[in-house]
Amino acid sequence: MQVSVEAGGPLEKRLKVTVPAEEVESTVSSRLRRLASTVRMPGFRPGKVPMRLVEQRYGDQVLIEAYDELINRTYSSAIAEQGLRPVGQPDIAIEASGRGQDFSYSATIEIYPEFEPALGEGELKRPTAEVGDEDVERTIQALREQRRTYETVDRPAALNDQVIIDFKGFIGDEAFPGGEAQGFNLVLGSKRTIEGFEEGIVGAVAGETRSVEVAFPEDYGNKELAGKQARFEIKVQAVMEPRLPEVNDEFAKSLGVEEGGVDALRQEVRENLAFEAERASRARMKSQVLDMLADANPIDVPRKLLDAEMQRLRETLGSQGQQQEPSAEADGKLEELARRRVILGLVISELVRRNDLQPDRDAVRQELERIASQYQNPDQVVAWYLGNPERLGEIEAMVLENKVVDWVLARAKVKEEAVTFNQLIGRDEVA
């Protein structure tokens, strides 16, 4: 076998492989002999058909099969001989063939880039935050809000009240489809309806009927109503004001704190917030590391990997209802994002390979249990992942990526930066 290599694009190689005629004939003869032992022809017992007749009838078919066998066998050897790492399957083109002749074919491939991963030289900022009493109280208040109830009152409706209403909408004097409801629950100030609707109910009392003029936005989802003036006839059936539970031992028990009352509840909230702060800090550090690696390694990427990643992104956007109309600008942004993701994948893989990093089994199990804890039946989720190698592989890849991030952080310049808890979790912008 003879192999020569020509360079195409930055990551494209064209291998030309020539197999001697003797090896071609040996492969063809071997296949013909196997076929002759089983082939049936009228007038001959199985296995007794003369080779001349077998070759006459099946020679062309066997020759094609022999070429397939030779390509499969010699391509792998050629790649190993040249020390190439191909991406995906090759594009094969037969250049010379025929009984009694050398067999030649070309294999055009893309290869993974060879590069020394750079870690970058910038300084990373590790945000840290202390959980204060105000953070604990704010969280407890949010828990109270989640358990809000409403009680009927005999007074005019105000913002944050819940009202029960009947309404009917009109464009001019004509009622429009979908603009009518009875017994509709609405919290005033929730912005569930178009601008002006909720404001028009403020001050109304139970039993009162109001006529409220509104304008549908130009970008309203229903094109028949978009940009039009409308009138709603609204009858208020009831006005209810919000009631929040008292912060006491009963409230603590409703949140699963059986012993220790309110003090134990506050301590548990504090610990949960501290865990959330640590996780948020970790996420920000990881984001910085990945950005640094992507910026420090502006490598060429194989087109096959780039196209596959763009397709995955399109499918993800589509599943999230964010599919966009095709355009040069949208495709350009998608390709830029896909290129960054491919670069990161290549850099991380290279760091893993060069430093012999392996996913920690305990870390994989811990991550798996964390994901499962978000579901109603965690044990079933864990069992599903363990029984699905592809999905378990995704968890292992995530853990391995985190291990690479830790490896980089151990070698990077990191400066701690004190922020508030709200800033850390994204409620405020960091100054």
Side-chain angles (χ1 to χ4, degrees):
M1 178 182 73
Q2 295 180 345
V3 181
S4 62
V5 181
E6 300 175 356
L11 297 176
E12 185 179 276
K13 300 290 183 181
R14 183 174 176 270
L15 285 76
K16 183 175 180 180
V17 181
T18 301
V19 182
E22 296 81 4
E23 186 174 348
V24 175
E25 188 61 31
S26 174
T27 303
V28 171
S29 297
S30 176
R31 296 186 74 91
L32 283 171
R33 285 193 299 271
R34 291 198 300 270
L35 182 60
S37 66
T38 59
V39 73
R40 293 175 179 273
M41 285 189 184
F44 298 95
R45 287 179 296 165
K48 299 298 182 179
V49 180
M51 183 64 71
R52 174 179 56 82
L53 295 179
V54 174
E55 185 169 354
Q56 186 178 37
R57 176 172 291 188
Y58 297 103
D60 291 344
Q61 172 188 330
V62 168
L63 183 60
I64 293 173
E65 292 173 351
Y67 288 155
D68 286 340
E69 179 182 334
L70 287 168
I71 289 172
N72 290 333
R73 187 166 71 224
T74 58
Y75 170 72
S76 298
S77 298
I79 289 297
E81 178 184 307
Q82 298 297 320
L84 299 174
R85 293 195 299 148
V87 177
Q89 297 300 313
D91 294 326
I92 301 292
I94 295 176
E95 298 187 351
S97 61
R99 290 291 292 272
Q101 301 180 34
D102 291 347
F103 171 57
S104 296
Y105 68 90
S106 65
T108 303
I109 60 173
E110 278 191 301
I111 60 172
Y112 286 95
E114 295 290 337
F115 65 100
E116 178 79 29
L119 301 186
E121 299 180 353
E123 184 177 76
L124 305 178
K125 295 181 180 180
R126 187 194 308 276
T128 60
E130 295 291 332
V131 177
D133 292 342
E134 67 277 9
D135 301 314
V136 173
E137 295 306 318
R138 187 182 298 111
T139 302
I140 290 176
Q141 179 63 19
L143 293 170
R144 294 177 70 203
E145 293 286 349
Q146 292 171 8
R147 287 155 179 78
R148 180 196 298 118
T149 59
Y150 290 91
E151 184 176 306
T152 301
V153 291
D154 185 15
R155 61 165 175 75
L159 287 176
N160 299 319
D161 284 346
Q162 183 181 74
V163 293
I164 300 177
I165 58 174
D166 301 334
F167 64 84
K168 190 170 186 178
F170 297 84
I171 302 293
D173 293 328
E174 296 291 329
F176 58 85
E180 182 176 3
Q182 287 77 41
F184 184 75
N185 288 330
L186 177 65
V187 175
L188 301 182
S190 64
K191 301 187 184 301
R192 285 180 59 197
T193 58
I194 61 176
E195 186 176 356
F197 187 94
E198 294 170 27
E199 294 83 349
I201 303 173
V202 172
V205 296
E208 182 178 346
T209 297
R210 285 195 172 185
S211 181
V212 176
E213 300 283 343
V214 298
F216 283 98
E218 295 290 343
D219 59 353
Y220 192 66
N222 186 338
K223 294 182 179 180
E224 298 295 323
L225 301 176
K228 293 186 177 179
Q229 295 290 322
R231 183 184 83 258
F232 282 93
E233 297 297 329
I234 305 171
K235 182 173 183 180
V236 179
Q237 300 286 4
V239 176
M240 297 175 288
E241 69 179 11
R243 292 279 191 268
L244 300 182
E246 295 294 327
V247 180
N248 51 28
D249 290 355
E250 182 179 348
F251 178 67
K253 287 182 179 179
S254 73
L255 293 167
V257 180
E258 297 294 336
E259 297 181 0
V262 175
D263 289 342
L265 171 63
R266 287 195 169 95
Q267 181 60 30
E268 184 171 313
V269 167
R270 188 180 298 275
E271 291 173 358
N272 289 339
L273 293 180
F275 177 79
E276 185 179 352
E278 175 62 28
R279 189 167 60 184
S281 177
R282 167 78 184 172
R284 289 204 183 188
M285 290 301 297
K286 180 176 180 178
S287 179
Q288 290 180 67
V289 168
L290 296 181
D291 285 343
M292 184 174 70
L293 290 177
D295 293 341
N297 294 276
I299 58 177
D300 291 319
V301 301
R303 188 72 222 184
K304 287 184 178 180
L305 293 182
L306 185 60
D307 289 343
E309 188 59 35
M310 289 181 68
Q311 182 60 31
R312 275 192 289 270
L313 287 172
R314 287 192 182 97
E315 291 173 357
T316 299
L317 290 172
S319 67
Q320 296 173 349
Q322 302 179 35
Q323 199 162 9
Q324 298 177 334
E325 292 294 328
S327 69
E329 182 180 1
D331 287 347
K333 290 180 179 179
L334 193 69
E335 181 169 333
E336 182 180 348
L337 176 58
R339 186 179 302 277
R340 180 183 183 277
R341 289 165 66 109
V342 172
I343 287 175
L344 281 173
L346 293 172
V347 172
I348 289 171
S349 295
E350 194 65 15
L351 289 173
V352 167
R353 185 177 70 86
R354 288 171 179 258
N355 298 283
D356 194 27
L357 301 177
Q358 299 294 331
D360 182 79
R361 188 170 296 179
D362 291 338
V364 171
R365 182 75 187 196
Q366 185 177 358
E367 180 64 20
L368 180 54
E369 290 176 350
R370 184 192 70 79
I371 293 173
S373 68
Q374 303 172 34
Y375 295 85
Q376 189 171 359
N377 298 303
D379 291 343
Q380 292 182 11
V381 175
V382 170
W384 182 81
Y385 270 99
L386 294 177
N388 191 324
E390 183 178 351
R391 293 291 179 244
L392 184 61
E394 293 173 358
I395 302 294
E396 292 173 344
M398 187 187 309
V399 170
L400 191 55
E401 182 177 271
N402 290 337
K403 196 161 189 174
V404 170
V405 169
D406 289 338
W407 187 89
V408 174
L409 284 174
R411 292 157 179 78
K413 298 176 183 178
V414 180
K415 179 181 179 181
E416 291 199 351
E417 179 184 52
V419 297
T420 68
F421 177 79
N422 271 357
Q423 289 172 337
L424 181 55
I425 64 173
R427 287 181 184 152
D428 295 330
E429 291 295 325
V430 179

